[in-house]
Amino acid sequence: MAKLPFLPFLLFVASALLSTSCSAAPRKIVAFYELKKGDFSVKVTNWGAIITSVVLPDSKGNLGDVVLGYDGLGPYINNSANFGAVVGRVANRISGARFVLNGKAYRLSKNSGNNTLHGGHRGFSHVIWTVKEKVDGEFPYITLYYHSFDGEQGFPGALDVFVTYKISAPYELSIAMCAKSLNKATPVNLAQHSYWNLGGHGSGTILSNMVQIFASKITPVDANLIPIGTIVPVSGTPYDFLKPTTVGSHIDKLSGGYDINYVLDQPIGSNGMRKVAVVKDGDGSGRAFELWANQPGVQFYTGNFLNNVKGKGGQIYGKHAGLCLETQGFPDSVNHPNFPSQIVNPGKDYKHNMLFKFLF
C-alpha cells in the first residue's frame, strides 16, 4: 500500500470552517489525490469526496479533462452546483423538508425553498472526509470515510459512510458508495454529482451529445421539481431516450432542460449492476462512455442552472455546459410509499455501485 502523498497544494482547513464552535478542535487535512493508469487519470479531493478531473484521450490521442470543476480548493467550499461531489445523506429533494418514519416526524434543514436538497445546507458534499486508504499500482484506488452524527441536518441515526474511487481496468472508473446505519432507521440515498462534457470541460454545451437511457418510465415532478408520486411512460414525450438521441433534439419543449428521474428497465446482470446509459460526444472527439449501476433510478440533469460559472483554466460554464447522470433511489421516496424504500435499518448496509466504461 502506497503512503498518502505529500502534495505542494496540501491545505489545512480548520474545523471552524464548518462550525461556529469556539472549541479547540484539531485541524483536518484537505488535499487533492490522483489515480493514474497510463494516460487515464482521475483526481479527487476529500472535501465533499469530489471528483475534480477525469483526463482521457480522444480518438486522435489528444488528452482532455471531461468533467466540470474549479481551480484549487477555494471555489469548492461553496460549490453550489455540487461539481463532482458525493451528495447525501439523501440526494435530490425531500418535499417540505420533512418525513415520517416509524411514527415519528423528522424536520430537516431547508435549503431549496421549503424543501431539502442533497442533504441540506451542510450535506456530505460540504464536509471533510477522512482518507482511509490510498493505493497505487496496477489498479489504483482511494477510499474516503465520513461519520454522520445522529440528527445531522435533521436526519435520524448515526451513519458511517465510505466511498471508493478505483481505476478498475484500462479506461474504467468504478465508484463504490456504502453506508452502515449504527443505531436508528434512516433514509440513505447517495449520488455522485459529476458534470460530464466528453468534448472537454470547456468545449461548450452538451446539446450535441448523443444519449441513450435504458428506461421506459420517469417519475414526473411538480413546479418545485418534487415527484408527484406517479410513474409514467416516456413514449411520445421529450423524455424518450430509449434510442440514441441528441440532448438538444427536444430540449426546447421543456422548461429549462432535463432534470428528471428515470425508472431503469434493465435487470441486474452477473456483475451485480444494470446498464444505465450510453453517452457519445457529438463534436468529433470520438469519446463515449457506458454507465452501469445497481440502483433503480437515474437523474438526468443538463446543467440548467449553470450561469457564467468560472471554471478550470478560466473557462466560463454557461447553461448546458455539462450533463449529469446520477444513479439513485427515487427522489422523495420517504414521502411516497409506492417508491422503492431507501430506509436502512440499524446494523444494515446501503450499497451503491457505479461503473463508467470510457471509449474513444
Side-chain angles (χ1 to χ4, degrees):
M1 177 169 49
K3 294 182 179 179
L4 299 181
F6 178 80
L7 301 175
F9 38 77
L10 201 64
L11 296 167
F12 295 86
V13 179
S15 61
L17 186 68
L18 304 176
S19 171
T20 57
S21 172
C22 295
S23 61
R27 291 170 178 257
K28 293 185 177 182
I29 298 173
V30 175
F32 293 86
Y33 303 89
E34 183 175 27
L35 309 176
K36 188 172 178 62
K37 185 175 178 65
D39 56 4
F40 179 47
S41 74
V42 178
K43 292 181 181 178
V44 305
T45 175
N46 58 315
W47 174 264
I50 292 168
I51 294 176
T52 63
S53 77
V54 176
V55 174
L56 71 154
D58 64 11
S59 59
K60 298 178 181 178
N62 300 312
L63 297 180
D65 185 352
V66 297
V67 294
L68 276 58
Y70 302 110
D71 288 326
L73 177 66
Y76 284 109
I77 300 302
N78 292 320
N79 195 17
S80 60
N82 288 298
F83 285 149
V86 170
V87 293
R89 172 178 311 196
V90 175
N92 220 299
R93 292 167 175 84
I94 295 178
S95 177
R98 68 181 302 277
F99 64 92
V100 176
L101 178 59
N102 296 332
K104 182 175 179 178
Y106 292 92
R107 299 191 179 278
L108 310 174
S109 168
K110 296 179 180 180
N111 64 327
S112 179
N114 288 319
N115 308 307
T116 299
L117 175 63
H118 295 328
H121 288 286
R122 188 176 174 264
F124 294 173
S125 56
H126 289 79
V127 297
I128 302 174
W129 295 61
T130 299
V131 180
K132 298 295 285 186
E133 199 172 18
K134 167 72 165 60
V135 175
D136 298 320
E138 184 179 6
F139 302 112
Y141 68 87
I142 186 170
T143 297
L144 306 173
Y145 164 76
Y146 179 67
H147 175 76
S148 180
F149 59 85
D150 183 7
E152 185 171 21
Q153 301 297 292
F155 289 99
L159 194 72
D160 281 341
V161 190
F162 296 85
V163 176
T164 297
Y165 295 115
K166 182 177 183 178
I167 297 180
S168 51
Y171 306 108
E172 292 189 7
L173 171 63
S174 69
I175 303 170
M177 295 177 275
C178 59
K180 181 180 284 291
S181 174
L182 300 182
N183 52 13
K184 294 179 183 178
T186 187
V188 181
N189 189 13
L190 306 180
Q192 215 298 323
H193 206 293
S194 287
Y195 290 68
W196 301 93
N197 187 325
L198 291 174
H201 72 94
S203 63
T205 76
I206 43 77
L207 296 179
S208 65
N209 280 198
M210 191 75 69
V211 172
Q212 183 176 18
I213 302 174
F214 298 95
S216 58
K217 297 181 177 66
I218 56 171
T219 53
V221 295
D222 63 18
N224 294 312
L225 299 175
I226 302 289
I228 60 176
T230 59
I231 298 173
V232 302
V234 298
S235 179
T237 77
Y239 296 102
D240 189 348
F241 283 89
L242 283 167
K243 296 180 180 179
T245 305
T246 56
V247 175
S249 294
H250 307 293
I251 200 168
D252 59 344
K253 298 177 182 177
L254 305 173
S255 176
Y258 293 94
D259 194 359
I260 197 77
N261 174 65
Y262 282 78
V263 179
L264 296 169
D265 291 335
Q266 298 289 310
I268 296 291
S270 59
N271 65 351
M273 291 182 280
R274 55 168 56 91
K275 196 173 187 179
V276 175
V278 177
V279 180
K280 297 180 180 180
D281 179 35
D283 291 327
S285 74
R287 296 190 188 98
F289 69 70
E290 294 180 358
L291 171 59
W292 296 70
N294 67 344
Q295 294 299 292
V298 62
Q299 189 83 8
F300 179 41
Y301 173 57
T302 50
N304 311 329
F305 298 109
L306 297 177
N307 182 19
N308 295 325
V309 178
K310 186 178 181 180
K312 289 180 282 191
Q315 296 290 336
I316 302 299
Y317 304 143
K319 189 175 183 179
H320 308 317
L323 63 82
C324 303
L325 285 163
E326 307 158 63
T327 53
Q328 61 182 3
F330 294 1
D332 200 29
S333 63
V334 289
N335 291 308
H336 298 288
N338 58 313
F339 286 178
S341 175
Q342 294 294 304
I343 302 302
V344 179
N345 288 308
K348 299 298 182 180
D349 294 329
Y350 163 93
K351 295 182 179 180
H352 181 170
N353 297 320
M354 305 175 71
L355 177 63
F356 290 90
K357 297 182 178 183
F358 296 97
L359 309 166
F360 49 90

